[in-house]
Every structure is written in structure tokens, then in C-alpha cells.
Amino acid sequence: GENPPTSEVRGGGTSDVDKMLSGLRDQYARVWYVYHTTDVGRDQAAIGHWLTENAEFVSGTRFYRVDVLLYNLE
């Protein structure tokens, strides 16, 4: 019955993305990373890099042009 909290991660560069994702790690044990596969940009690359370096990949699913990835933040 409850809607899970959501956050849109955008920024002017890698430091903005790092700050946002580090803040999420302080509040949550896991995060879903959902993105459109044709939307390649600076923020998407920074998010993917941060998650690779600071989180544990759990699972992923691909829909038509949308990837849904689950990461543990602990």
C-alpha cells in the first residue's frame, strides 16, 4: 500500500552525483537504478561509475529501452 520514496539524480557533474548518491546510502540499504538505455549522458555515466565503485550489484532486468538494476548500498 505504500509508495516507495524516489529520487531523481541529476547534476552539473560527477561531484553532484556523488553527493546525491552518498546521501541515499545514509538513508537506504538498497537502491533501484532505472534508466532509459538511449539516454546516454554525463549523469548516467557518473551514476553507473558511482554504483560500480560503492555498491553491490544484486540483479537487473531489461525492458524495451529501459534497464532496471538493483544495488545494495551497505
Side-chain angles (χ1 to χ4, degrees):
E2 291 184 33
N3 291 327
T6 59
S7 296
E8 182 176 340
V9 178
R10 291 188 180 269
T14 302
S15 63
D16 292 333
V17 170
D18 287 346
K19 182 179 177 182
M20 178 69 170
L21 291 173
S22 294
L24 290 177
R25 182 172 42 189
D26 294 340
Q27 296 176 0
Y28 304 105
R30 62 184 185 171
V31 63
W32 290 97
Y33 178 33
V34 180
Y35 65 94
H36 196 278
T37 59
T38 62
D39 183 20
V40 178
R42 184 173 54 179
D43 292 339
Q44 184 176 334
I47 293 166
H49 178 74
W50 190 92
L51 289 169
T52 299
E53 295 294 319
N54 298 288
E56 175 188 3
F57 176 76
V58 176
S59 67
T61 300
R62 175 168 277 184
F63 299 98
Y64 181 70
R65 294 186 181 170
V66 175
D67 279 354
V68 180
L69 308 174
L70 177 62
Y71 288 88
N72 281 332
L73 296 177
E74 296 183 314

